[in-house]
């Protein structure tokens, strides 16, 4: 399934460094897909007003029950604050028992390179999974 288009907030500053985070979120069962989608809708609403967010995109591989995120942040602190805030923290706690092993990767880019390419994000995720 194609990715949702990059949803960017303000135009990134071309010379500023941004933290990019990609995740692979596989579910253990197809039965969990509707609940996953319901819960993550709240996270998407949270993203709409998240301080420090440069933008995000989502991708789904339904045949494999796997979801991907790709986001860019002004700083590691802003990314960490988002992850700890509600509803994200509660949603992740509720989903964790229903997920197979997840993968997260981070790297930095200049604002002139935003949005990041899905091909690069997926390659970085595969590399991280291969190093386990």
């Amino acid at each position: 399934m194609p990715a949702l288009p990059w949803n960017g907030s303000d135009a990134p500053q071309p010379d500023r460094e941004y933290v990019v985070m990609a995740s692979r979120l596989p579910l253990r069962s197809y039965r969990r897909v509707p609940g996953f989608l319901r819960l993550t809708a709240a996270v998407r609403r949270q993203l709409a007003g998240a301080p420090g967010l440069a933008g995000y995109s989502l991708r789904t591989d339904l045949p494999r029950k796997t979801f991907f995120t790709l986001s860019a942040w002004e700083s590691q602190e802003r990314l960490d604050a988002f992850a700890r805030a509600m509803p994200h923290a509660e949603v992740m706690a509720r989903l964790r028992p229903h997920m197979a092993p997840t993968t997260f990767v981070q790297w930095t880019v200049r604002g002139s390179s935003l949005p990041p390419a899905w091909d690069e994000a997926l390659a970085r995720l595969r590399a991280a999974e291969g190093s386990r």
Side-chain angles (χ1 to χ4, degrees):
M1 178 176 280
L4 291 177
W6 183 255
N7 187 347
S9 48
D10 296 331
Q13 297 173 24
D15 293 328
R16 181 181 191 152
E17 269 202 351
Y18 291 84
V19 175
V20 176
M21 194 274 303
S23 66
R24 180 179 172 276
L25 309 168
L27 295 173
R28 294 185 190 279
S29 165
Y30 284 108
R31 291 182 339 173
R32 299 296 175 185
V33 170
F36 180 94
L37 295 173
R38 260 192 319 280
L39 288 170
T40 56
V43 174
R44 287 186 65 195
R45 286 189 295 277
Q46 180 187 0
L47 282 163
L53 176 68
Y56 73 94
S57 179
L58 307 171
R59 187 173 179 146
T60 303
D61 183 350
L62 281 179
R64 292 185 174 87
K65 312 175 298 288
T66 301
F67 299 84
F68 300 88
T69 70
L70 181 60
S71 59
W73 300 84
E74 291 177 358
S75 67
Q76 185 67 49
E77 293 77 21
R78 294 288 194 167
L79 170 57
D80 293 343
F82 172 81
R84 288 190 307 267
M86 296 301 168
H88 183 272
E90 180 183 345
V91 166
M92 293 303 105
R94 289 180 63 186
L95 289 173
R96 194 166 288 118
H98 309 294
M99 300 185 81
T102 58
T103 306
F104 297 89
V105 294
Q106 293 182 7
W107 67 99
T108 58
V109 299
R110 293 268 181 223
S112 58
S113 296
L114 292 178
W118 269 107
D119 288 346
E120 178 180 3
L122 296 172
R124 286 176 180 266
L125 287 164
R126 281 190 299 274
E129 291 165 356
S131 67
R132 286 189 207 170

